[in-house]
């Protein structure tokens, strides 16, 4: 007897992305419909984490066929239940259609977005119920941890991780095995492991998705790390604005304790370990390890000089190993499949995969995991489906506020730690913002610098004062008051801030400015010399809007919305915009029913 | 969790709970759910199959198909064991389901008196 057998499993994504596009109602309606048709004993609903294809949410997958339904709304459930679940007829209209084609694709694995991905860390996301430890165990969960604790010495575990070539996925790329070894070798009875889930980059959401979609993977990775370095206590530092991630982590921790995977004498090995969640208030600087530890200790989240490094003196002065969510997420697979197999993925010095959050002007917004060394072009065009609205790619911003902009002509760049650093960007946590030709690079630099400037903790002068001065210059460039010498001043300030800041917040804050200056200097110069914003973004410098008299029907819709009263004309006759009054805000163009207004 | 063995034993049990999500290399039972099949009582057959599979703790993939043109013989039920020909049973009753499952699916012998067609492996 197998009371748990269901002839069909319906997986409903309840990651944050799908929930915000209505997945909770979809789920509830599905439950109601299954009961209405008397199918509740034959068909099981499984809530899963994020599939990464957030653009297409809410996502519903029906097994055993593995049919992938996208953008499912509450009303669509009737068809799925009546046609598919009852009669086995696939609901064609809900299938995914590849960009620019009419072909509907039923199977998950045949969609371009997934074909080129290599999902290790995200392997279980969207495939298992993150609130069920049973499903995690059923897909080989905790096997790696069991193997490490019962069959390997801590030194052997460290050797395996070192051999895999795994590097920190938080951005800097420090070799993980070496970090573990340094912490293990530090003298001291009491040691800690910490998971840095203080994800703060605008546009990055891989840590959140991973914690929401597969929390046990992170717990397992941390147990292995704790065993390797000799820690009996650990913390997961996650920001309070990730309520779903926290809830699922709490459930996962509770289950792991019930199953004896956390607590005393795990796997009968004599090894004890337990984990706590520490909710952060959301300061960006707390992603910096020393600030993060200060925050756990109950102090104000501010960095301190290094050395001493956390591996020597970390949390409460004890040797501490701190890694990013994604880094821990790789550990179970390395231990299970072996270092050799892991090394085979990626490039020589950047092994394995990296998760990127694809956002901005791209067709397939979402979370993707690709082997290191894949070119930007493949990620953006083959997986991401290209730039939205058929516009031209201008640049890709990688690494968030600490990263840089890579221009379109470097699209063949293979993505790994070294190549990104060479072009002035960095891996960061893996945000990838795609920008088209309507983006002003000066404005972009200003956006990111504004973010880091307001998140600067204020402890050290270069970051506190320097970023402020840089921002002032960018503000004046964007408002048409740039002066000769501003660009040189930006570069000089940027270099000083990088070399003298206390922590990497300041140490990387100028990157977005310096990299755009490097690749888009002409655009900066146009702001100063011609008082012109080539992308028509910066208010006050953009070209004024003009009405095409041949198209204008005189409906006055534009007149009513213009904030400066720049438009005049008789009803039912062509109107005109007065260029001296127009501030190029574009509201009129967005309201015009006949598309008669465009920038001149 | 006191040993790795314990985990592995538990996993062997738990794998069955999610085996529906994996169809590779598994025996298949396919039920004709076209209008003709439904009119002839295919829904009862589908329920009976699910019940039987659950009762006997089998790892089987149950799916449906549309009308294949043998409406006269509905309800139709196909069994396909990995690497073997697909056998079609016709005019199946809920009472026949247990026999088909035991004799064909478990013991590997097609139920000759109920079988009406054979599709070669790799056929439609």
């Amino acid at each position: 007897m197998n009371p748990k057998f269901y002839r069909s499993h319906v997986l409903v994504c309840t990651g944050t992305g799908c929930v915000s596009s209505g997945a909770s109602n979809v789920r509830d309606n599905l439950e109601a419909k299954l009961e209405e048709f008397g199918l509740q004993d034959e068909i099981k609903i499984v809530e899963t984490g994020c599939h990464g294809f957030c653009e297409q949410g809410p996502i519903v997958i029906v097994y055993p066929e593995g049919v992938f339904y996208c953008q499912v709304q509450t009303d669509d459930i009737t068809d799925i239940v009546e046609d598919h679940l009852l009669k086995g007829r696939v609901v064609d209209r809900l299938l995914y259609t590849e960009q620019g084609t009419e072909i509907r694709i039923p199977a998950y694995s045949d969609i371009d977005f997934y074909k080129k991905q290599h999902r290790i860390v995200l392997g279980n996301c969207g495939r298992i119920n993150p609130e069920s430890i049973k499903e995690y165990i059923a897909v080989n969960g905790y096997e790696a941890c069991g193997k490490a604790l019962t069959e390997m010495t801590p030194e052997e575990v460290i050797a395996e991780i070192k051999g895999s070539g795994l590097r920190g996925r938080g951005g800097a790329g420090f070799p993980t095995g070496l970090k573990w070894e340094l912490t293990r070798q530090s003298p001291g009875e009491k040691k800690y492991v910490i998971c840095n889930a203080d994800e703060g980059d605008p546009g990055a959401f891989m840590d959140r998705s991973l914690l929401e979609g597969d929390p046990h993977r992170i717990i397992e990775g941390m147990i292995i790390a704790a065993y390797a370095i000799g820690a009996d206590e650990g913390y997961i530092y996650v920001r309070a604005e990730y309520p779903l991630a926290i809830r699922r982590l709490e459930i996962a921790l509770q289950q792991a304790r019930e199953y004896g995977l956390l607590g005393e004498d795990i796997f009968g090995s004599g090894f004890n370990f337990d984990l706590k969640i520490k909710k952060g208030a959301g300061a960006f600087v707390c992603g910096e390890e020393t600030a993060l530890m200060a925050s756990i200790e109950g102090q104000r989240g501010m960095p301190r000089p290094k050395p001493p490094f956390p591996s020597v003196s970390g949390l409460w002065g004890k040797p501490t190993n701190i890694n990013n969510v994604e880094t821990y997420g790789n550990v179970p697979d390395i231990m299970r499949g072996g270092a050799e197999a892991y090394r085979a993925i990626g490039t020589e010095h950047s092994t394995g995969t990296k998760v990127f959050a694809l956002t901005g002007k791209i067709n397939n917004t979402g979370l993707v995991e690709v082997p290191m060394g894949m070119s930007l072009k493949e990620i953006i065009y083959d997986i991401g489906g290209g730039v939205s609205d058929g516009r031209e790619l201008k640049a890709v911003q990688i690494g968030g506020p600490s990263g840089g902009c890579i221009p379109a002509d470097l699209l063949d760049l293979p993505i790994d730690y070294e190549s990104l650093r060479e072009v002035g960007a960095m891996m960061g946590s893996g945000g990838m913002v795609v920008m088209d030709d309507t983006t002003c690079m000066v404005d972009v630099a200003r956006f990111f610098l504004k973010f880091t400037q307001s998140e600067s903790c204020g402890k050290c002068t270069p970051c506190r004062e320097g970023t402020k001065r840089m921002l002032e210059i960018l503000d004046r460039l964007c408002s048409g008051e740039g002066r000769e010498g501003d660009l040189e001043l930006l570069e000089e300030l940027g270099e000083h801030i990088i070399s003298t800041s206390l922590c990497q917040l300041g140490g990387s804050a100028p990157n977005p400015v310096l990299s755009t200056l490097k690749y888009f200097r002409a655009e900066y110069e146009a702001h100063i010399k011609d008082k012109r914003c080539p992308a028509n973004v910066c208010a006050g410098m953009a070209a004024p809007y003009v009405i095409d008299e041949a198209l204008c029907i005189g409906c006055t819709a534009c007149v009513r919305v213009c904030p400066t009263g720049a438009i005049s004309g008789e009803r039912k006759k062509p109107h005109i915009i007065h260029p001296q009054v127009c501030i190029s805000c574009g509201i009129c163009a967005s309201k015009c029913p006949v598309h008669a207004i465009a920038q001149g | 969790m006191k040993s790795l063995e314990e985990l592995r034993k538990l996993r062997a049990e738990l794998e069955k709970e999610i085996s529906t999500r994996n169809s590779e290399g598994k025996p298949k039972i396919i039920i004709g759910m076209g209008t003709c099949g439904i009119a002839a009582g295919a829904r009862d057959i589908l329920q009976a199959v699910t019940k039987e599979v659950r009762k006997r703790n089998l790892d089987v993939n149950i799916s449906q198909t549309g009308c294949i043109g043998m409406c006269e013989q509905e309800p139709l039920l196909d069994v396909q064991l990995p690497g073997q020909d697909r056998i079609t049973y016709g005019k199946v009753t809920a009472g026949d389901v247990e026999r088909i499952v035991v004799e064909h699916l478990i013991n590997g012998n097609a139920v000759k008196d109920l079988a009406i067609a054979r599709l070669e492996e790799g056929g439609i």
Side-chain angles (χ1 to χ4, degrees), chain A residues 1-2 5-7 9 39 41-42 63-64 85-86 89 127 135 137 143 259 265 267-268, chain B residues 1-2 7-8 11 14-15 17 20-21 33-34 43 46-47 50 53-55 57 61 64:
Chain A
M1 182 78 179
N2 178 8
F5 175 81
Y6 291 86
R7 68 173 170 85
H9 286 193
L39 290 164
D41 294 332
E42 293 169 50
Y63 284 103
L85 299 178
L86 203 54
R89 298 172 194 169
R127 288 173 184 263
E135 294 206 357
I137 291 174
E143 168 79 18
Y259 277 70
D265 195 21
F267 283 108
Chain B
M1 207 61 66
K2 286 296 158 222
L7 178 82
R8 286 177 179 162
R11 182 167 68 231
L14 296 175
E15 272 171 350
E17 290 185 23
T20 300
R21 279 171 239 173
M33 289 291 267
R43 174 79 186 113
L46 180 62
Q47 277 173 321
T50 309
V53 169
R54 183 174 294 167
K55 192 170 98 188
N57 197 5
N61 190 332
Q64 303 110 303

Short mmCIF file of all heavy atoms in Angstrom, two decimals, chain A residues 1-2 5-7 9 39 41-42 63-64 85-86 89 127 135 137 143 259 265 267-268, chain B residues 1-2 7-8 11 14-15 17 20-21 33-34 43 46-47 50 53-55 57 61 64:
data_model
loop_
_atom_site.label_atom_id
_atom_site.label_comp_id
_atom_site.label_asym_id
_atom_site.label_seq_id
_atom_site.Cartn_x
_atom_site.Cartn_y
_atom_site.Cartn_z
N MET A 1 0.85 -1.21 0.00
CA MET A 1 0.00 0.00 0.00
C MET A 1 0.88 1.25 0.00
O MET A 1 1.81 1.35 0.77
CB MET A 1 -0.88 -0.04 1.27
CG MET A 1 -1.85 1.10 1.38
SD MET A 1 -3.30 0.92 0.33
CE MET A 1 -4.19 2.38 0.73
N ASN A 2 0.56 2.14 -0.88
CA ASN A 2 1.28 3.41 -0.90
C ASN A 2 0.24 4.54 -0.92
O ASN A 2 -0.18 4.99 -1.97
CB ASN A 2 2.20 3.49 -2.13
CG ASN A 2 2.93 4.82 -2.20
OD1 ASN A 2 2.85 5.62 -1.26
ND2 ASN A 2 3.59 5.06 -3.30
N PHE A 5 0.61 7.66 -3.15
CA PHE A 5 0.67 7.68 -4.62
C PHE A 5 -0.44 8.54 -5.20
O PHE A 5 -1.61 8.37 -4.87
CB PHE A 5 0.57 6.26 -5.19
CG PHE A 5 0.50 6.25 -6.70
CD1 PHE A 5 1.65 6.38 -7.46
CD2 PHE A 5 -0.73 6.17 -7.35
CE1 PHE A 5 1.59 6.41 -8.84
CE2 PHE A 5 -0.80 6.20 -8.75
CZ PHE A 5 0.36 6.31 -9.49
N TYR A 6 -0.09 9.45 -6.02
CA TYR A 6 -1.06 10.24 -6.77
C TYR A 6 -0.70 10.11 -8.23
O TYR A 6 0.48 10.19 -8.58
CB TYR A 6 -1.00 11.72 -6.36
CG TYR A 6 -1.50 11.97 -4.95
CD1 TYR A 6 -0.66 11.85 -3.86
CD2 TYR A 6 -2.83 12.33 -4.74
CE1 TYR A 6 -1.13 12.07 -2.57
CE2 TYR A 6 -3.31 12.56 -3.46
CZ TYR A 6 -2.46 12.42 -2.38
OH TYR A 6 -2.93 12.64 -1.11
N ARG A 7 -1.69 9.90 -9.06
CA ARG A 7 -1.37 9.66 -10.47
C ARG A 7 -0.82 10.91 -11.15
O ARG A 7 -0.12 10.84 -12.14
CB ARG A 7 -2.57 9.13 -11.23
CG ARG A 7 -3.71 10.10 -11.42
CD ARG A 7 -4.78 9.52 -12.33
NE ARG A 7 -5.99 10.32 -12.34
CZ ARG A 7 -6.18 11.38 -13.13
NH1 ARG A 7 -5.23 11.76 -13.95
NH2 ARG A 7 -7.30 12.06 -13.08
N HIS A 9 0.88 14.95 -10.26
CA HIS A 9 1.29 16.02 -9.35
C HIS A 9 1.19 17.35 -10.10
O HIS A 9 1.71 17.47 -11.20
CB HIS A 9 2.73 15.83 -8.89
CG HIS A 9 2.91 14.74 -7.89
ND1 HIS A 9 4.05 14.57 -7.16
CD2 HIS A 9 2.07 13.75 -7.47
CE1 HIS A 9 3.92 13.53 -6.35
NE2 HIS A 9 2.73 13.01 -6.53
N LEU A 39 -11.40 14.84 -7.71
CA LEU A 39 -10.05 14.40 -8.10
C LEU A 39 -9.04 14.51 -6.97
O LEU A 39 -7.87 14.19 -7.15
CB LEU A 39 -9.56 15.25 -9.29
CG LEU A 39 -10.25 15.02 -10.63
CD1 LEU A 39 -9.96 16.17 -11.58
CD2 LEU A 39 -9.82 13.71 -11.24
N ASP A 41 -8.28 12.86 -4.46
CA ASP A 41 -7.53 11.67 -4.02
C ASP A 41 -6.61 11.13 -5.11
O ASP A 41 -5.84 10.21 -4.89
CB ASP A 41 -8.51 10.57 -3.61
CG ASP A 41 -9.30 10.98 -2.37
OD1 ASP A 41 -8.75 11.77 -1.59
OD2 ASP A 41 -10.44 10.52 -2.22
N GLU A 42 -6.74 11.68 -6.32
CA GLU A 42 -5.91 11.17 -7.42
C GLU A 42 -4.79 12.14 -7.77
O GLU A 42 -3.79 11.76 -8.35
CB GLU A 42 -6.76 11.00 -8.69
CG GLU A 42 -7.82 9.94 -8.60
CD GLU A 42 -8.78 10.03 -9.78
OE1 GLU A 42 -8.30 10.08 -10.92
OE2 GLU A 42 -10.00 10.06 -9.55
N TYR A 63 2.62 16.94 -13.83
CA TYR A 63 3.31 15.67 -14.01
C TYR A 63 2.28 14.56 -13.99
O TYR A 63 1.22 14.74 -13.42
CB TYR A 63 4.33 15.47 -12.88
CG TYR A 63 5.57 16.30 -13.05
CD1 TYR A 63 5.76 17.45 -12.30
CD2 TYR A 63 6.54 15.93 -13.96
CE1 TYR A 63 6.90 18.21 -12.46
CE2 TYR A 63 7.68 16.69 -14.13
CZ TYR A 63 7.86 17.83 -13.38
OH TYR A 63 9.00 18.58 -13.54
N PRO A 64 2.52 13.39 -14.60
CA PRO A 64 3.78 12.87 -15.10
C PRO A 64 4.22 13.44 -16.46
O PRO A 64 5.37 13.25 -16.84
CB PRO A 64 3.52 11.37 -15.24
CG PRO A 64 2.07 11.25 -15.47
CD PRO A 64 1.45 12.37 -14.71
N LEU A 85 -6.32 17.36 -16.47
CA LEU A 85 -6.26 16.41 -15.37
C LEU A 85 -7.30 15.30 -15.49
O LEU A 85 -7.05 14.15 -15.14
CB LEU A 85 -6.42 17.15 -14.04
CG LEU A 85 -5.31 18.18 -13.78
CD1 LEU A 85 -5.55 18.92 -12.48
CD2 LEU A 85 -3.94 17.50 -13.76
N LEU A 86 -8.45 15.66 -16.04
CA LEU A 86 -9.51 14.66 -16.16
C LEU A 86 -9.35 13.85 -17.45
O LEU A 86 -9.41 12.63 -17.43
CB LEU A 86 -10.86 15.38 -16.14
CG LEU A 86 -12.09 14.57 -15.73
CD1 LEU A 86 -11.87 13.89 -14.39
CD2 LEU A 86 -13.30 15.48 -15.66
N ARG A 89 -5.99 16.04 -21.92
CA ARG A 89 -5.78 16.91 -23.08
C ARG A 89 -5.03 18.16 -22.66
O ARG A 89 -5.50 18.92 -21.82
CB ARG A 89 -7.12 17.31 -23.69
CG ARG A 89 -7.90 16.10 -24.17
CD ARG A 89 -9.30 16.48 -24.59
NE ARG A 89 -10.10 15.25 -24.71
CZ ARG A 89 -11.41 15.24 -24.84
NH1 ARG A 89 -12.09 16.36 -24.89
NH2 ARG A 89 -12.05 14.10 -24.94
N ARG A 127 11.02 22.26 -8.36
CA ARG A 127 10.79 20.84 -8.55
C ARG A 127 10.33 20.14 -7.29
O ARG A 127 9.73 19.07 -7.33
CB ARG A 127 12.05 20.15 -9.07
CG ARG A 127 12.32 20.52 -10.50
CD ARG A 127 13.65 19.99 -10.96
NE ARG A 127 13.89 20.45 -12.32
CZ ARG A 127 13.63 19.71 -13.39
NH1 ARG A 127 13.14 18.52 -13.26
NH2 ARG A 127 13.86 20.20 -14.59
N GLU A 135 10.58 15.69 0.73
CA GLU A 135 10.87 15.80 -0.70
C GLU A 135 12.36 16.07 -0.92
O GLU A 135 12.95 15.59 -1.87
CB GLU A 135 10.00 16.89 -1.35
CG GLU A 135 8.53 16.52 -1.34
CD GLU A 135 7.71 17.17 -2.44
OE1 GLU A 135 8.26 17.97 -3.21
OE2 GLU A 135 6.51 16.86 -2.53
N ILE A 137 14.82 15.06 0.99
CA ILE A 137 15.54 13.80 1.21
C ILE A 137 15.33 12.87 0.01
O ILE A 137 16.25 12.18 -0.42
CB ILE A 137 15.07 13.14 2.53
CG1 ILE A 137 15.57 13.97 3.72
CG2 ILE A 137 15.59 11.70 2.64
CD1 ILE A 137 15.06 13.52 5.07
N GLU A 143 22.29 13.53 1.87
CA GLU A 143 23.21 12.42 1.58
C GLU A 143 24.66 12.92 1.71
O GLU A 143 25.50 12.27 2.33
CB GLU A 143 22.95 11.90 0.17
CG GLU A 143 24.00 10.95 -0.38
CD GLU A 143 23.86 9.52 0.14
OE1 GLU A 143 22.77 9.19 0.65
OE2 GLU A 143 24.84 8.77 0.05
N TYR A 259 14.25 15.71 12.51
CA TYR A 259 14.88 14.55 11.87
C TYR A 259 16.28 14.29 12.41
O TYR A 259 17.00 13.43 11.90
CB TYR A 259 14.93 14.75 10.35
CG TYR A 259 13.65 14.36 9.66
CD1 TYR A 259 12.50 15.13 9.82
CD2 TYR A 259 13.57 13.23 8.86
CE1 TYR A 259 11.31 14.79 9.20
CE2 TYR A 259 12.39 12.88 8.23
CZ TYR A 259 11.26 13.66 8.40
OH TYR A 259 10.08 13.31 7.78
N ASP A 265 24.81 14.94 18.13
CA ASP A 265 25.20 13.63 17.60
C ASP A 265 24.56 13.34 16.25
O ASP A 265 23.92 12.31 16.05
CB ASP A 265 24.82 12.54 18.63
CG ASP A 265 25.52 11.22 18.31
OD1 ASP A 265 26.55 11.25 17.60
OD2 ASP A 265 25.02 10.17 18.75
N PHE A 267 23.89 12.07 12.70
CA PHE A 267 24.29 10.83 12.01
C PHE A 267 25.12 9.92 12.90
O PHE A 267 25.93 9.13 12.42
CB PHE A 267 25.08 11.15 10.72
CG PHE A 267 24.21 11.58 9.58
CD1 PHE A 267 24.21 12.89 9.15
CD2 PHE A 267 23.38 10.67 8.94
CE1 PHE A 267 23.40 13.29 8.10
CE2 PHE A 267 22.57 11.06 7.88
CZ PHE A 267 22.57 12.38 7.45
N GLY A 268 24.94 10.06 14.22
CA GLY A 268 25.69 9.21 15.13
C GLY A 268 27.19 9.46 15.09
O GLY A 268 28.00 8.62 15.47
N MET B 1 18.31 11.40 13.08
CA MET B 1 19.07 10.66 12.09
C MET B 1 20.33 10.12 12.75
O MET B 1 21.21 10.89 13.12
CB MET B 1 19.43 11.61 10.95
CG MET B 1 19.64 10.94 9.63
SD MET B 1 18.20 10.07 8.99
CE MET B 1 17.06 11.40 8.66
N LYS B 2 20.40 8.81 12.91
CA LYS B 2 21.54 8.26 13.66
C LYS B 2 22.58 7.60 12.76
O LYS B 2 23.65 7.24 13.20
CB LYS B 2 21.04 7.29 14.74
CG LYS B 2 20.40 8.01 15.92
CD LYS B 2 21.43 8.89 16.66
CE LYS B 2 20.72 9.97 17.45
NZ LYS B 2 21.37 11.28 17.36
N LEU B 7 19.17 7.20 6.78
CA LEU B 7 18.77 8.20 5.78
C LEU B 7 18.44 7.53 4.45
O LEU B 7 17.46 7.84 3.79
CB LEU B 7 19.89 9.24 5.59
CG LEU B 7 19.61 10.31 4.54
CD1 LEU B 7 18.74 11.42 5.11
CD2 LEU B 7 20.91 10.92 4.00
N ARG B 8 19.30 6.59 4.07
CA ARG B 8 19.11 5.94 2.77
C ARG B 8 17.83 5.10 2.75
O ARG B 8 17.14 5.03 1.75
CB ARG B 8 20.33 5.09 2.43
CG ARG B 8 21.50 5.97 2.04
CD ARG B 8 22.76 5.20 1.77
NE ARG B 8 23.82 6.14 1.37
CZ ARG B 8 25.11 5.85 1.39
NH1 ARG B 8 25.51 4.68 1.80
NH2 ARG B 8 26.00 6.76 1.02
N ARG B 11 15.02 7.44 2.42
CA ARG B 11 14.93 7.98 1.07
C ARG B 11 14.25 7.00 0.12
O ARG B 11 13.44 7.39 -0.71
CB ARG B 11 16.32 8.34 0.54
CG ARG B 11 16.23 8.96 -0.84
CD ARG B 11 17.50 9.60 -1.28
NE ARG B 11 18.55 8.64 -1.50
CZ ARG B 11 19.77 8.70 -0.97
NH1 ARG B 11 20.08 9.71 -0.18
NH2 ARG B 11 20.65 7.78 -1.23
N LEU B 14 10.70 7.54 0.60
CA LEU B 14 10.22 8.86 0.20
C LEU B 14 10.26 9.08 -1.31
O LEU B 14 9.47 9.84 -1.86
CB LEU B 14 11.04 9.95 0.90
CG LEU B 14 10.90 9.99 2.42
CD1 LEU B 14 11.84 11.02 3.03
CD2 LEU B 14 9.47 10.29 2.84
N GLU B 15 11.19 8.38 -1.97
CA GLU B 15 11.28 8.52 -3.43
C GLU B 15 9.96 8.18 -4.10
O GLU B 15 9.59 8.76 -5.11
CB GLU B 15 12.39 7.61 -3.97
CG GLU B 15 13.74 8.30 -3.96
CD GLU B 15 14.87 7.35 -4.30
OE1 GLU B 15 14.64 6.13 -4.36
OE2 GLU B 15 16.00 7.86 -4.48
N GLU B 17 7.05 8.81 -3.05
CA GLU B 17 6.08 9.89 -2.93
C GLU B 17 6.20 10.91 -4.05
O GLU B 17 5.25 11.62 -4.35
CB GLU B 17 6.23 10.60 -1.57
CG GLU B 17 5.79 9.74 -0.42
CD GLU B 17 5.83 10.49 0.89
OE1 GLU B 17 5.78 11.74 0.89
OE2 GLU B 17 5.94 9.81 1.93
N THR B 20 5.92 10.25 -9.19
CA THR B 20 5.03 10.70 -10.26
C THR B 20 5.70 11.75 -11.13
O THR B 20 5.36 11.94 -12.29
CB THR B 20 3.72 11.24 -9.65
OG1 THR B 20 3.12 10.18 -8.90
CG2 THR B 20 2.73 11.70 -10.70
N ARG B 21 6.69 12.47 -10.54
CA ARG B 21 7.33 13.54 -11.30
C ARG B 21 8.44 13.03 -12.21
O ARG B 21 9.12 13.80 -12.87
CB ARG B 21 7.93 14.56 -10.31
CG ARG B 21 6.87 15.51 -9.79
CD ARG B 21 7.40 16.37 -8.67
NE ARG B 21 6.61 16.16 -7.46
CZ ARG B 21 6.92 16.67 -6.28
NH1 ARG B 21 8.00 17.40 -6.14
NH2 ARG B 21 6.16 16.45 -5.25
N MET B 33 -9.30 8.58 -23.02
CA MET B 33 -10.24 9.52 -22.42
C MET B 33 -10.82 10.45 -23.48
O MET B 33 -11.05 11.63 -23.23
CB MET B 33 -9.57 10.32 -21.30
CG MET B 33 -9.28 9.52 -20.04
SD MET B 33 -10.73 9.02 -19.10
CE MET B 33 -10.89 10.35 -17.95
N GLY B 34 -11.04 9.91 -24.68
CA GLY B 34 -11.79 10.68 -25.68
C GLY B 34 -13.25 10.68 -25.26
O GLY B 34 -13.63 10.01 -24.30
N ARG B 43 -13.74 7.03 -17.01
CA ARG B 43 -13.44 7.69 -15.73
C ARG B 43 -13.36 6.66 -14.59
O ARG B 43 -12.49 6.73 -13.74
CB ARG B 43 -14.53 8.74 -15.47
CG ARG B 43 -14.44 9.41 -14.12
CD ARG B 43 -13.37 10.51 -14.12
NE ARG B 43 -13.23 11.04 -12.77
CZ ARG B 43 -12.15 10.90 -12.03
NH1 ARG B 43 -11.10 10.26 -12.50
NH2 ARG B 43 -12.09 11.40 -10.82
N LEU B 46 -10.09 4.82 -14.86
CA LEU B 46 -8.98 5.64 -14.38
C LEU B 46 -8.90 5.59 -12.86
O LEU B 46 -7.83 5.43 -12.27
CB LEU B 46 -9.16 7.09 -14.87
CG LEU B 46 -8.10 8.11 -14.47
CD1 LEU B 46 -6.74 7.72 -15.04
CD2 LEU B 46 -8.45 9.51 -14.97
N GLN B 47 -10.06 5.70 -12.22
CA GLN B 47 -10.08 5.64 -10.76
C GLN B 47 -9.66 4.26 -10.25
O GLN B 47 -8.91 4.16 -9.28
CB GLN B 47 -11.48 6.00 -10.24
CG GLN B 47 -11.67 7.50 -10.16
CD GLN B 47 -13.10 7.90 -9.83
OE1 GLN B 47 -14.06 7.28 -10.30
NE2 GLN B 47 -13.24 8.92 -9.03
N THR B 50 -5.86 3.93 -10.56
CA THR B 50 -5.17 4.69 -9.52
C THR B 50 -5.23 3.95 -8.18
O THR B 50 -4.23 3.83 -7.47
CB THR B 50 -5.81 6.09 -9.37
OG1 THR B 50 -5.89 6.69 -10.66
CG2 THR B 50 -4.98 6.97 -8.45
N VAL B 53 -2.97 0.81 -8.26
CA VAL B 53 -1.54 1.14 -8.18
C VAL B 53 -1.18 1.54 -6.75
O VAL B 53 -0.14 1.15 -6.21
CB VAL B 53 -1.20 2.28 -9.17
CG1 VAL B 53 0.19 2.82 -8.91
CG2 VAL B 53 -1.32 1.78 -10.60
N ARG B 54 -2.07 2.30 -6.16
CA ARG B 54 -1.82 2.74 -4.78
C ARG B 54 -1.82 1.53 -3.84
O ARG B 54 -0.96 1.39 -2.99
CB ARG B 54 -2.90 3.74 -4.37
CG ARG B 54 -2.68 4.31 -2.99
CD ARG B 54 -3.69 5.39 -2.68
NE ARG B 54 -3.53 6.56 -3.53
CZ ARG B 54 -4.43 7.54 -3.62
NH1 ARG B 54 -5.57 7.46 -2.94
NH2 ARG B 54 -4.22 8.58 -4.39
N LYS B 55 -2.81 0.64 -4.03
CA LYS B 55 -2.96 -0.52 -3.15
C LYS B 55 -1.72 -1.40 -3.20
O LYS B 55 -1.25 -1.90 -2.20
CB LYS B 55 -4.19 -1.33 -3.60
CG LYS B 55 -4.62 -2.39 -2.61
CD LYS B 55 -5.96 -2.98 -3.00
CE LYS B 55 -5.79 -4.28 -3.76
NZ LYS B 55 -7.08 -4.77 -4.30
N ASN B 57 1.28 -0.51 -4.22
CA ASN B 57 2.54 0.22 -4.03
C ASN B 57 3.46 0.10 -5.24
O ASN B 57 4.63 -0.27 -5.14
CB ASN B 57 3.24 -0.30 -2.77
CG ASN B 57 4.31 0.65 -2.28
OD1 ASN B 57 4.46 1.74 -2.83
ND2 ASN B 57 5.05 0.26 -1.27
N ASN B 61 3.48 4.95 -14.26
CA ASN B 61 3.07 6.23 -14.79
C ASN B 61 1.67 6.08 -15.40
O ASN B 61 1.48 5.28 -16.30
CB ASN B 61 4.10 6.56 -15.88
CG ASN B 61 3.97 7.95 -16.37
OD1 ASN B 61 2.89 8.52 -16.34
ND2 ASN B 61 5.07 8.49 -16.84
N GLN B 64 -3.35 9.67 -19.83
CA GLN B 64 -4.56 9.53 -20.63
C GLN B 64 -4.25 9.82 -22.09
O GLN B 64 -3.26 10.47 -22.40
CB GLN B 64 -5.64 10.52 -20.15
CG GLN B 64 -5.99 10.39 -18.70
CD GLN B 64 -5.47 11.59 -17.92
OE1 GLN B 64 -4.29 11.88 -17.94
NE2 GLN B 64 -6.36 12.27 -17.23
#
